[in-house]
Amino acid sequence: MHYKQLLFTTALLSAMQASAQITVNVNTTQKGHEVSPNLYGIFYEDINHAADGGLYAELVRNRSFEDNTKAAEHWSIVGQAAMQLTAKGLLNAKQHQALQVTFLQPGDGVANEGFWGIPVVQGRRYRLSFWAKGKLKGQLRAVLTDATGKHAFASASFAGKSFGNKWTRYEAELVANGNDDKGQLQLMADGKGQLAFDVVSLFPPTFRNRQNGLRPELAGMLNDLHPKFLRFPGGCFVEGQENPDNAFRWERTIGPVEQREGHWNVNWGYRTTDGLGFDEYLQLAEDLRAQPLYVVNVGIWHGGFTPLDSIQPWIDETMNALEYANGPVTSKYGALRAKNGHPEPYNIQYLEIGNENNQPDQRQQSDHYYERFKLFRDAVLKKYPDMHIIGNVAAWGTDEPKWESKEQTELVDEHYYRSPAWFAEHFHHYDNYDRRGPKVYVGEYAVTQGFGQVGDLNAALGEAVFMMGMENNSDIVRMASYAPIFANVNETRWRPDMIQYDATRVLGTPSYYVQKMMADNVGTRTVSTTLTNPYQIAEAQQQVKPQVCRVGVGTWATQASFAQPSLSAGDGKVEQVGGKVDIRGTWQQANGIVSQQSASEGALRLNPQRTDGNEYTYHVRARKDGGAEGFLIVFNYVDPDNYCWLNIGGWGNTQNAIEQVVNGSKSQLVTAAGKVETGRWYDVDLHVKGDSIYASLDGKQLFATQLKPSTFAGLFQNATYDEATSEYIVKLVNTHSQATTARIALPGLHPTVARLIRLSAPKGTDENTLDTPTRIVPMTSTLSPDGDGVSLELPANSLNIVRIK
């Protein structure tokens, strides 16, 4: 039986098919607590080229020639020119390399490819600037071309006699007369000579026309969220990796861009120019009318830390940053802020002390956190007594993080990356939280298990249910922000991300639209509700294991080999089947060994057999050949949205687990520490008997566990009241794959106007793509009130927000 069929009993199906109506009764006689006015904000981190190649509008990649010490990456030769990196006679002490170009004949030059193409748009005005010195006969031309470099859309000329022995900054405006998604910027000479270049920059129009500004489409999508706060600059980006120079050091990111050194974003695998720096973050918060929430480094980075008795320089760095943001122009750093173009204070009011630095295991980005916290907190509050202070609690490994110190903090930052089912199951997560302790900032949360390819509707609905629970408890949950926001689809290191893009296109995932819908309809006071559900039933009693299924093998971001598979049935039968066996990955077979050789995530190969029965045994030999993780043994496979696997050496080769995917939603049934050796063969045995699963490695039992029916399907509701508009706001989520109808009753009142905002799709696994970015977007309609309430359809897989006047 298909997993989806197992979610509903016959009684449930018949009730739904008969269009049984649920009723949401809104308590109109009593309002609850205030909904936090700062509940929903945004969390920015430079991940997946979120800055350079993303939000930061610079179009030239490797503009300062610092990305590689041996080659000018992303630059190429045009004609017979010669180019080489040079470390002599540099522009300033912050620049460590420049590009020396020798023009041997007219038409020679160099070209930059941008971030997977420079988007050329007809009529668009571009701001070009660069520093140069040297000698050149004739003219230098800056040309915006098509992808081939042969067709010019715009150009500007600079007289050769203007170049000399001193570095000089040159500027021009280029106006494109054509279109190309993958254009180039060329620097061409019509005579001989040699020039050195540095900080070559090309900017399109920016958000709010800011100098050194932001890509309008991406910043505009942030603006549409109407965030109450902006948390920056991370995330792991705050801490850095390997050494403290790879951390975010605010003072290195301010001032003219040619004075910014940039640094390696080791955590996420590329170099950042720091063109999007401290000022730009604060200016963005101001432009979004959001409170800036600054996360500071407590002297800990991935892989090391400054000893507790030596962290005063880190405290000083924090105090200097706050003076830069908040101090008067008569102060040292306030004067520097004014010099950099912003005399008025930015007014930081929220400060988070550390990022994920309070794990129980002190070896995991943690060292004497509470002592560090106290030193930072006391220094900050002494000068800024009204600052809202946020502390760290355990960020992974627990569903119940605790502040385990007598030190006082106003808020704690909780992080949850889970499955859609987990979020739905935790609708009441905060109902019984201790109201006497710190308030909660849910600083990072997102569905990261069972989200589809880029982020599907199931993921968004699970998050919506959890957000409704946060609203119900916003007396303690004061702030929340989804994470992460951005991903350039050409180089994504973390998925999912709610806004994705290439050089010319942008999409919001369903999660983005849930964030927007919830933020636009939050209300000011909670209102209690009750749900009358005629098809509310107990958990299905039927067996979860599918009657007919397949087995197979797989990998996750690694390479592995498999041999000697055997499948035997305890009852029923095993039979050969046709059809596709390679679901994803690069598979090869030779000498009885099947190998997966790519770095694909979720690469699967199915055995060309299926079993029809209640019990079977699957044996296979497996070997890790390379990569970060171990290998996967697939079982109970029905389709790409419904299967299980035994994950050996997962999570960076640190854990073993059995994971279950139901209707595209992945959850972990059981986990334990474990890893595998590269190059060693292991014997893996799986025995399935009904819902009982037994897994062994080299004859030693790893797991004995039970399959679980899906807990994602359900109906969820909450309500708030908006005192500014005199509206009741009722939210209804239907995570079932069947539609129904609902009536919202407001006893004693007579609604006059009702407006419905809905997000839905035929399947919970549906997604938006760059080619179909508006497949799943909110739709608005008007409802007709009837008596003391309003009735509406509740489609399958839907978030429905009803505003009732």
Side-chain angles (χ1 to χ4, degrees):
M1 181 178 286
H2 195 286
Y3 277 126
K4 296 175 182 177
Q5 295 172 300
L6 300 173
L7 303 179
F8 306 99
T9 64
T10 303
L12 174 59
L13 285 171
S14 62
M16 285 188 147
Q17 291 163 356
S19 297
Q21 187 176 69
I22 71 167
T23 301
V24 178
N25 293 291
V26 180
N27 185 347
T28 59
T29 62
Q30 186 176 3
K31 307 298 189 297
H33 60 73
E34 175 197 49
V35 177
S36 170
N38 293 323
L39 184 56
Y40 295 131
I42 53 178
F43 160 53
Y44 176 87
E45 179 167 15
D46 188 355
I47 182 174
N48 308 318
H49 286 277
D52 299 306
L55 183 61
Y56 184 49
E58 174 65 78
L59 296 174
V60 175
R61 189 168 186 182
N62 192 18
R63 68 182 180 188
S64 297
F65 311 103
E66 307 287 346
D67 284 8
N68 190 315
T69 59
K70 297 180 180 180
E73 291 184 351
H74 311 294
W75 291 85
S76 59
I77 290 171
V78 179
Q80 300 300 312
M83 68 176 184
Q84 65 179 19
L85 296 173
T86 179
K88 297 180 180 179
L90 295 172
L91 176 61
N92 56 49
K94 303 296 183 182
Q95 301 297 322
H96 304 290
Q97 296 182 154
L99 185 68
Q100 184 172 285
V101 181
T102 302
F103 305 97
L104 299 175
Q105 61 184 20
D108 281 357
V110 291
N112 185 268
E113 65 183 358
F115 293 89
W116 299 280
I118 292 177
V120 182
V121 180
Q122 187 168 4
R124 179 174 289 177
R125 297 177 179 274
Y126 298 82
R127 289 184 291 107
L128 170 74
S129 65
F130 60 90
W131 291 80
K133 69 174 184 177
K135 295 182 179 180
L136 179 68
K137 294 181 179 179
Q139 292 187 325
L140 178 76
R141 290 189 308 120
V143 188
L144 203 54
T145 76
D146 66 356
T148 69
K150 297 179 180 179
H151 181 78
F153 295 116
S155 66
S157 298
F158 305 88
K161 62 183 180 181
S162 69
F163 299 101
N165 293 328
K166 294 184 178 181
W167 285 101
T168 303
R169 188 173 188 270
Y170 297 84
E171 296 181 347
E173 180 178 80
L174 303 177
V175 182
N177 62 10
N179 299 288
D180 196 304
D181 291 350
K182 295 186 179 297
Q184 298 181 5
L185 175 67
Q186 296 185 349
L187 299 175
M188 309 285 292
D190 60 9
K192 296 182 179 181
Q194 188 177 80
L195 295 177
F197 295 95
D198 209 348
V199 196
V200 181
S201 174
L202 185 70
F203 268 84
T206 61
F207 183 64
R208 301 195 188 281
N209 297 314
R210 299 292 184 193
Q211 292 291 317
N212 195 49
L214 308 179
R215 181 171 167 179
E217 313 98 291
L218 299 182
M221 290 186 75
L222 297 183
N223 190 59
D224 289 345
L225 292 173
H226 305 126
K228 298 302 184 183
F229 63 88
L230 167 64
R231 174 185 167 196
F232 73 94
C236 298
F237 188 76
V238 171
E239 301 155 295
Q241 188 164 307
E242 297 178 354
N243 65 67
D245 280 339
N246 292 321
F248 178 80
R249 314 302 292 268
W250 76 271
E251 203 164 352
R252 303 176 186 178
T253 74
I254 60 174
V257 295
E258 65 271 14
Q259 295 291 336
R260 303 187 193 187
E261 189 171 13
H263 73 280
W264 271 100
N265 182 357
V266 179
N267 300 83
W268 303 117
Y270 52 87
R271 197 173 190 282
T272 175
T273 64
D274 285 327
L276 178 54
F278 196 54
D279 264 304
E280 287 75 24
Y281 288 123
L282 292 166
Q283 184 64 67
L284 174 61
E286 185 175 277
D287 287 343
L288 297 177
R289 299 171 296 282
Q291 288 282 351
L293 191 168
Y294 181 42
V295 185
V296 302
N297 192 307
V298 294
I300 296 175
W301 54 93
H302 291 225
F305 56 85
T306 300
L308 178 64
D309 60 5
S310 303
I311 65 169
Q312 187 59 44
W314 291 99
I315 298 173
D316 295 340
E317 189 169 312
T318 295
M319 299 307 296
N320 294 341
L322 291 176
E323 183 175 289
Y324 183 90
N326 293 6
V329 294
T330 53
S331 65
K332 175 184 175 180
Y333 286 98
L336 182 57
R337 181 193 67 241
K339 179 183 176 182
N340 288 336
H342 201 283
E344 294 300 316
Y346 288 112
N347 196 27
I348 291 178
Q349 297 182 28
Y350 289 84
L351 190 80
E352 181 163 355
I353 299 175
N355 172 73
E356 298 187 338
N357 295 140
N358 192 10
Q359 290 298 117
D361 185 345
Q362 294 294 300
R363 296 169 297 179
Q364 296 181 326
Q365 300 166 224
S366 304
D367 175 78
H368 294 87
Y369 175 75
Y370 290 121
E371 294 96 323
R372 292 170 187 263
F373 173 85
K374 181 181 187 303
L375 293 171
F376 275 80
R377 181 204 60 194
D378 290 351
V380 171
L381 292 182
K382 182 177 180 180
K383 186 171 183 179
Y384 304 98
D386 296 328
M387 187 71 67
H388 300 284
I389 299 295
I390 305 169
N392 294 174
V393 290
W396 60 87
T398 177
D399 288 347
E400 298 181 355
K402 303 294 183 184
W403 181 257
E404 297 176 320
S405 172
K406 294 181 180 179
E407 298 299 335
Q408 296 297 307
T409 184
E410 181 180 348
L411 295 139
V412 293
D413 180 8
E414 298 184 358
H415 296 179
Y416 298 109
Y417 294 110
R418 305 289 194 274
S419 68
W422 185 94
F423 282 108
E425 290 168 359
H426 286 73
F427 177 50
H428 297 288
H429 186 71
Y430 292 104
D431 288 3
N432 298 311
Y433 254 53
D434 184 356
R435 263 59 180 173
R436 297 169 299 176
K439 305 298 184 184
V440 174
Y441 165 40
V442 187
E444 299 180 32
Y445 67 96
V447 167
T448 55
Q449 302 169 19
F451 59 83
Q453 297 302 309
V454 298
D456 63 19
L457 182 58
N458 278 337
L461 295 179
E463 292 152 4
V465 172
F466 192 67
M467 294 171 77
M468 288 160 57
M470 290 194 288
E471 287 182 1
N472 291 342
N473 293 278
S474 63
D475 60 322
I476 185 156
V477 182
R478 306 300 289 171
M479 307 167 73
S481 51
Y482 179 98
I485 297 176
F486 288 122
N488 189 311
V489 298
N490 292 287
E491 191 175 323
T492 301
R493 304 296 179 96
W494 176 288
R495 290 197 298 266
D497 313 273
M498 70 175 177
I499 300 174
Q500 301 175 33
Y501 48 86
D502 60 15
T504 61
R505 299 174 296 172
V506 175
L507 75 88
T509 66
S511 292
Y512 169 81
Y513 292 109
V514 161
Q515 293 292 318
K516 175 171 172 53
M517 290 170 66
M518 298 292 283
D520 286 348
N521 298 282
V522 72
T524 58
R525 302 199 75 83
T526 60
V527 179
S528 64
T529 62
T530 57
L531 178 69
T532 303
N533 183 354
Y535 47 79
Q536 185 75 33
I537 64 163
E539 187 175 273
Q541 299 300 311
Q542 294 161 295
Q543 180 174 291
V544 176
K545 179 198 172 293
Q547 181 72 16
V548 179
C549 59
R550 298 174 70 177
V551 296
V553 293
T555 61
W556 190 278
T558 189
Q559 300 80 47
S561 297
F562 304 90
Q564 301 176 14
S566 65
L567 176 64
S568 60
D571 63 355
K573 58 186 177 180
V574 173
E575 59 184 356
Q576 294 293 120
V577 294
K580 187 175 182 179
V581 294
D582 292 349
I583 306 302
R584 188 180 300 146
T586 304
W587 295 90
Q588 293 186 0
Q589 183 168 351
N591 300 320
I593 296 175
V594 172
S595 299
Q596 201 290 120
Q597 301 179 335
S598 75
S600 296
E601 296 179 350
L604 302 183
R605 166 172 274 212
L606 300 178
N607 283 23
Q609 299 170 311
R610 69 183 180 194
T611 176
D612 183 349
N614 193 49
E615 182 179 4
Y616 64 86
T617 299
Y618 178 39
H619 169 85
V620 66
R621 303 198 76 203
R623 180 187 68 195
K624 173 184 174 177
D625 297 328
E629 305 206 353
F631 42 79
L632 305 169
I633 309 301
V634 181
F635 64 100
N636 284 4
Y637 185 94
V638 176
D639 60 36
D641 292 329
N642 296 277
Y643 59 89
C644 300
W645 63 34
L646 172 63
N647 190 343
I648 302 294
W651 295 272
N653 203 15
T654 62
Q655 293 186 61
N656 301 327
I658 292 180
E659 298 180 272
Q660 178 181 352
V661 180
V662 179
N663 295 339
S665 177
K666 184 192 297 180
S667 59
Q668 297 166 21
L669 296 178
V670 61
T671 63
K675 64 179 182 179
V676 297
E677 300 174 18
T678 301
R680 174 185 166 186
W681 283 101
Y682 293 87
D683 285 287
V684 186
D685 290 280
L686 268 168
H687 182 68
V688 178
K689 185 174 183 180
D691 289 345
S692 296
I693 309 298
Y694 306 91
S696 298
L697 190 68
D698 284 343
K700 182 179 179 180
Q701 182 170 284
L702 292 178
F703 300 116
T705 189
Q706 291 279 120
L707 298 175
K708 296 179 181 178
S710 172
T711 54
F712 183 53
L715 293 161
F716 306 86
Q717 90 289 343
N718 83 333
T720 57
Y721 183 73
D722 192 328
E723 294 163 306
T725 63
S726 300
E727 290 175 296
Y728 285 90
I729 304 171
V730 181
K731 302 181 177 76
L732 287 160
V733 172
N734 181 9
T735 57
H736 287 293
S737 58
Q738 299 288 329
T740 186
T741 60
R743 177 170 175 77
I744 300 170
L746 295 87
L749 300 183
H750 297 280
T752 57
V753 177
R755 182 162 55 95
L756 169 65
I757 308 103
R758 171 179 290 155
L759 190 73
S760 67
K763 296 191 299 182
T765 53
D766 285 346
E767 304 183 68
N768 290 333
T769 68
L770 285 176
D771 293 327
T772 58
T774 59
R775 185 181 185 187
I776 307 171
V777 296
M779 305 296 290
T780 301
S781 61
T782 300
L783 301 176
S784 299
D786 178 17
D788 69 349
V790 61
S791 297
L792 68 152
E793 297 289 327
L794 280 188
N797 318 304
S798 65
L799 165 62
N800 307 268
I801 300 179
V802 185
R803 298 187 68 107
I804 306 170
K805 192 82 167 177

